[in-house]
Amino acid sequence: MTDYKQMWTDLGLNLETHDALLSVLGDVYQRTFMAQKDRPEGMGYFDFVMSEVHGLRVKELQDARAAGRKVIGTFCVFVPEELILAADGVCVGLCAGAEFGFEQAEKLLPPNTCSLIKSFFGFKMSKVCPYLEASDMVVGETTCDGKKKAYEIFRELQPNLYVMEVPQMKNPQDRELLKSEYWRFKGELEKLTGVTIDAQRLKKGIDLVNSKRQALHRLAALRAADPAPISGLDALLINQVAFYDDPVRFTASVNKVCDELEARIKSGKGVTVKGTPRILISGCPMAVPNWKLPGIIETSGGVVVGEESCVGERGSRNLVSQSGKTLDVLMDAVVDRYFKIDCAIFTPNRERLEHIESMARDYKADGVIHYALQFCSPYMIESHTVENSLRKKGIPGIRIETDYSQGDTGQLKTRIEAFLEMIR
Ligand code: BJ8
């Protein structure tokens, strides 16, 4: 095993706390992923990535920085990776999926803040996230009120924070706002990297990200098979790794898993038996290492066949049109693609209801579990509308509100088992 202690020290991590985090992460990973049966062989790559999540990948980022490239950390799928790549930057999603350092976070934030926000404060304050420390720019956004206001405080801890404004409605003036914000971001990236983004560079960035999304679309479509050829946990893991792996290597690795899944489907092989209750999860993003809900579902007799989530289909849906020849047209194509994201921060948000229904149909889900993090007003409030819309379509659904703790696991398991029994 390579020793990364010097690299972590140079990044300013607290080695003792960091060791504690890695040890918990390793245990949870073993129990959650390695205990599964009949995993596709191609998942070996993703196991390796996870085993090196704070090692090799961070070293690659540090090597890229030493070679003059800049690392840009992001918290939201509204930040266009295409522009970052066009500026020769490296884009990494900052995960915020663990209950770590919450005591410290609550010194700055109200306790009734969603776990995701507390998590990135906790990671920063306990100095355990090499990705935050390796980022030359961290991009926040004005999405929900929680994040928007939290960034005002976070800036004191992370001086290289840049905040992008995201509209809340889908009218023409809102598109104009997003467009002007993407041009402002382009300028900021150029200043940071010293690279001028032209049409050719942007087209290359679009190609790379489109290929990555196409591989994820292919994976999503294969999950429509019954029996499901891959577990929801493994599919979620692939979607999580999408946020920080090298895009070319990641795309090839996902396509390799997909080749294997196609062969499995042809031979009728699955990770569960045919007829296992099929669940669509819909709601808040599940960042690494938040595997709680799919873990409960899949150890209770169900299989997750899709994620209507930013770490899932909401984050990867739609490609950017590559047909433009000029920078202006290509920038417009980027805006068009991202303006379609149906996050619950938008009002009204009819498209999300339509997407949940079509995903339930396409992936042959028997039921939908709506997942909201406690204190996340956008998704908690929208869950009422989602529930009504599912009822009208005759699709069984339940609403779950939880956090990153394990305290409610037993209670959730009981509810989920009852739901699976009902739809069986
Ligand atoms: S586009 S879902 S990644 S904002 S869970 S912090 S909403 S209170 S994460 Fe998101 Fe972008 Fe939307 Fe997607 Fe706020 Fe809710 Fe917390 Fe959340």
Side-chain angles (χ1 to χ4, degrees):
M1 279 238 332
T2 318
D3 188 351
Y4 295 109
K5 280 210 169 56
Q6 191 55 50
M7 177 178 77
W8 295 330
T9 306
D10 294 345
L11 283 168
L13 300 191
N14 177 329
L15 291 187
E16 207 181 310
T17 329
H18 182 248
D19 275 356
L21 172 72
L22 287 194
S23 143
V24 175
L25 197 63
D27 284 353
V28 176
Y29 194 82
Q30 284 293 326
R31 267 186 281 121
T32 312
F33 286 89
M34 305 316 274
Q36 299 179 98
K37 290 201 190 92
D38 293 327
R39 299 176 76 210
E41 272 178 34
M43 287 309 296
Y45 170 75
F46 297 91
D47 292 335
F48 174 71
V49 170
M50 284 308 293
S51 71
E52 285 287 341
V53 68
H54 281 201
L56 188 58
R57 183 59 183 144
V58 178
K59 169 137 192 348
E60 287 179 349
L61 298 184
Q62 290 296 76
D63 289 348
R65 294 174 84 199
R69 295 178 73 192
K70 300 291 178 191
V71 173
I72 289 89
T74 66
F75 288 114
C76 177
V77 296
F78 266 100
V79 181
E81 187 176 356
E82 293 85 345
L83 286 183
I84 294 172
L85 294 172
D88 200 27
V90 184
C91 183
V92 287
L94 298 165
C95 49
E99 189 182 31
F100 203 86
F102 276 25
E103 253 176 54
Q104 294 195 62
E106 286 178 11
K107 288 184 186 147
L108 298 181
L109 297 167
N112 54 352
T113 303
C114 91
S115 294
L116 196 146
I117 297 172
K118 275 198 251 182
S119 181
F120 68 76
F121 269 72
F123 274 76
K124 181 72 197 179
M125 293 173 81
S126 42
K127 295 189 170 48
V128 291
C129 179
Y131 291 91
L132 263 174
E133 306 310 329
S135 292
D136 297 291
M137 180 201 272
V138 170
V139 187
E141 11 57 50
T142 62
T143 44
C144 64
D145 283 354
K147 280 211 238 175
K148 185 165 64 193
K149 298 308 287 181
Y151 291 133
E152 290 175 10
I153 305 171
F154 196 63
R155 188 186 293 286
E156 291 162 20
L157 310 171
Q158 189 77 39
N160 61 4
L161 179 74
Y162 170 90
V163 177
M164 173 184 286
E165 187 168 358
V166 173
Q168 314 276 299
M169 296 180 90
K170 295 276 174 83
N171 296 314
Q173 64 271 27
D174 301 304
R175 187 189 173 283
E176 282 309 303
L177 169 63
L178 190 64
K179 180 175 170 177
S180 70
E181 281 297 287
Y182 281 5
W183 277 93
R184 185 169 73 93
F185 183 51
K186 172 185 167 290
E188 212 57 38
L189 286 170
E190 290 176 333
K191 229 191 286 167
L192 178 75
T193 60
V195 171
T196 303
I197 300 176
D198 56 18
Q200 203 187 351
R201 283 185 161 278
L202 183 53
K203 193 162 176 346
K204 205 168 151 218
I206 292 172
D207 283 349
L208 274 175
V209 184
N210 276 353
S211 303
K212 177 159 106 168
R213 295 204 177 110
Q214 274 166 329
L216 290 171
H217 297 171
R218 186 177 167 210
L219 171 70
L222 292 168
R223 295 169 74 192
D226 190 10
I230 185 168
S231 68
L233 273 167
D234 278 338
L236 173 64
L237 183 71
I238 293 175
N239 277 285
Q240 290 174 331
V241 169
F243 284 87
Y244 55 88
D245 198 7
D246 170 79
V248 175
R249 187 175 58 202
F250 172 83
T251 303
S253 307
V254 179
N255 278 320
K256 205 166 144 207
V257 171
C258 290
D259 292 342
E260 204 182 329
L261 299 189
E262 275 172 5
R264 280 185 167 207
I265 293 168
K266 251 188 221 147
S267 63
K269 187 176 171 196
V271 279
T272 55
V273 292
K274 203 171 163 51
T276 300
R278 301 166 64 84
I279 299 298
L280 175 72
I281 295 180
S282 167
C284 289
M286 291 176 184
V288 171
N290 179 6
W291 304 306
K292 179 168 142 180
L293 185 60
I296 296 175
I297 296 169
E298 298 198 327
T299 50
S300 301
V303 61
V304 178
V305 293
E307 297 78 23
E308 190 280 314
S309 159
C310 286
V311 183
E313 203 150 316
R314 190 184 318 120
S316 64
R317 186 179 289 125
N318 300 317
L319 302 178
V320 174
S321 165
Q322 290 158 294
S323 58
K325 301 271 182 289
T326 65
L327 182 64
D328 279 9
V329 176
L330 289 167
M331 282 292 284
D332 268 340
V334 172
V335 176
D336 285 339
R337 187 258 162 204
Y338 283 82
F339 195 53
K340 291 190 192 119
I341 296 173
D342 54 357
C343 172
I345 59 145
F346 283 92
T347 182
N349 197 22
R350 180 75 225 161
E351 300 94 314
R352 179 164 172 242
L353 305 180
E354 286 157 8
H355 283 139
I356 297 171
E357 285 163 29
S358 66
M359 285 181 72
R361 191 179 53 243
D362 294 347
Y363 305 131
K364 305 184 190 81
D366 299 303
V368 175
I369 297 185
H370 191 277
Y371 162 78
L373 282 175
Q374 276 166 8
F375 312 118
C376 168
S377 302
Y379 284 92
M380 276 173 63
I381 296 175
E382 200 162 275
S383 67
H384 168 81
T385 322
V386 171
E387 192 173 59
N388 277 347
S389 135
L390 290 173
R391 194 177 304 122
K392 280 187 203 145
K393 298 277 166 183
I395 304 169
I398 52 162
R399 296 198 246 172
I400 300 274
E401 278 161 25
T402 184
D403 56 15
Y404 288 173
S405 76
Q406 298 301 318
D408 60 353
T409 307
Q411 194 196 0
L412 288 179
K413 196 163 170 55
T414 308
R415 283 190 65 202
I416 287 166
E417 280 170 354
F419 181 64
L420 295 175
E421 202 44 53
M422 192 262 291
I423 59 177
R424 205 181 285 272

